[in-house]
Amino acid sequence: MNKYLECAYWTVVTALLVAGVAAPPSASAQIPDDKPYVFFLFDQLEYAPQPSERPIGLEAIGWFGGDINRAWIRAEGEQSTREGLNGEGEAEIEALYGRLVTPYFDAVAGVRTDVRWGRDDARRGFLAAGMQGLAPYLFEVEPTLYVSHEGDVSAEFTASYNVLFTQRLILEPEVEARAAVQSVPDWGVGSGVNDVELGVRLRYEFHRKFAPYVGYTQRWMFGETADLARGDGEDPNDGAVVFGVRLWR
């Protein structure tokens, strides 16, 4: 049965990519100012001296398209260096089609792949649907719903805000929360609210495209997810000072 689910999964992937990239532009997208553009941002490229389990982190987002229709890429990952760069790590990569539905929000739909390497290699896939954009009071938000190829349902919510002390010195608080309907012990996921992560990063923009930063992140796991973490030798409530750089083109 899993083979048939995987076949359906990749069929939907192909359909979404074709719809988002190959479909003819709408009448509203044929205006002269709606030519395609490319944008890519390494929002977080950072090193955390402690805890040693996840010292290198990456969070990136990019898109290609015009004002109305865009193809989006979202990615985040962690890499342990306890055994050099061959240590354990994991990554989430999303390919999404987005369409502007209000002046400040895109509706997005597509696929996500989770990859884990090191102690035990594994991979799983999801269908994804959600929104992303600028909420009132200039909060950037990303609520997203996921359904795995095995039928597991989960959700993530991310919100961030920029506090400008000057045009170059910027403080960015961020909150990220995850929840799941079913437990998936192989991936350390319990049912209910899984975890909440709060971070605050202070960056200095020497140039709009280059901004080093320093910050602090704190993560709390809950319920069954916390129990799974303890059983795997992890601290369910860990925090770390981070040093990194923000880059975009």
Side-chain angles (χ1 to χ4, degrees):
M1 184 62 181
N2 286 341
K3 291 183 178 180
Y4 294 107
L5 287 172
E6 289 182 11
C7 181
Y9 170 75
W10 288 112
T11 300
V12 173
V13 173
T14 304
L16 286 168
L17 292 177
V18 170
V21 177
S26 63
S28 62
Q30 295 179 3
I31 59 176
D33 291 338
D34 198 40
K35 64 180 181 180
Y37 293 92
V38 176
F39 173 82
F40 198 83
L41 168 67
F42 285 97
D43 190 39
Q44 297 169 17
L45 182 57
E46 61 191 29
Y47 173 75
Q50 294 292 334
S52 59
E53 288 80 8
R54 51 186 187 97
I56 297 177
L58 166 69
E59 189 171 310
I61 188 168
W63 56 263
F64 169 81
D67 295 332
I68 306 298
N69 300 290
R70 294 177 179 177
W72 290 85
I73 293 290
R74 301 195 307 213
E76 60 180 280
E78 298 173 350
Q79 172 69 50
S80 170
T81 57
R82 286 182 297 179
E83 301 176 5
L85 293 179
N86 294 321
E88 300 175 15
E90 59 185 25
E92 299 177 4
I93 304 171
E94 299 180 54
L96 306 166
Y97 165 69
R99 183 174 178 84
L100 189 70
V101 292
T102 77
Y104 298 103
F105 273 94
D106 286 90
V108 295
V111 296
R112 171 182 131 190
T113 298
D114 289 5
V115 182
R116 184 176 64 206
W117 59 90
R119 181 175 55 182
D120 56 338
D121 296 349
R123 185 188 300 267
R124 60 177 179 169
F126 297 83
L127 295 177
M131 303 285 289
Q132 63 183 27
L134 202 61
Y137 303 103
L138 303 180
F139 284 91
E140 295 185 12
V141 298
E142 289 180 10
T144 313
L145 180 69
Y146 300 99
V147 180
S148 78
H149 66 279
E150 295 185 346
D152 301 315
V153 180
S154 58
E156 293 186 9
F157 176 80
T158 302
S160 62
Y161 184 78
N162 286 326
V163 181
L164 276 69
F165 295 114
T166 71
Q167 291 298 313
R168 295 181 181 272
L169 186 64
I170 301 169
L171 182 71
E172 183 177 8
E174 182 182 48
V175 59
E176 186 172 353
R178 300 178 182 87
V181 176
Q182 300 89 354
S183 61
V184 188
D186 289 344
W187 285 87
V189 175
S191 60
V193 178
N194 298 153
D195 60 44
V196 173
E197 184 170 346
L198 296 177
V200 59
R201 294 168 176 84
L202 180 67
R203 68 178 183 267
Y204 186 83
E205 295 186 346
F206 289 99
H207 188 279
R208 291 297 302 274
K209 297 184 178 182
F210 176 76
Y213 64 81
V214 61
Y216 183 82
T217 65
Q218 179 73 42
R219 180 175 60 181
W220 297 271
M221 298 182 186
F222 306 101
E224 188 179 352
T225 302
D227 294 337
L228 291 169
R230 293 188 189 97
D232 201 33
E234 296 182 28
D235 184 356
N237 303 311
D238 65 341
V241 175
V242 296
F243 303 90
V245 63
R246 186 176 189 264
L247 304 167
W248 66 272
R249 70 173 299 279

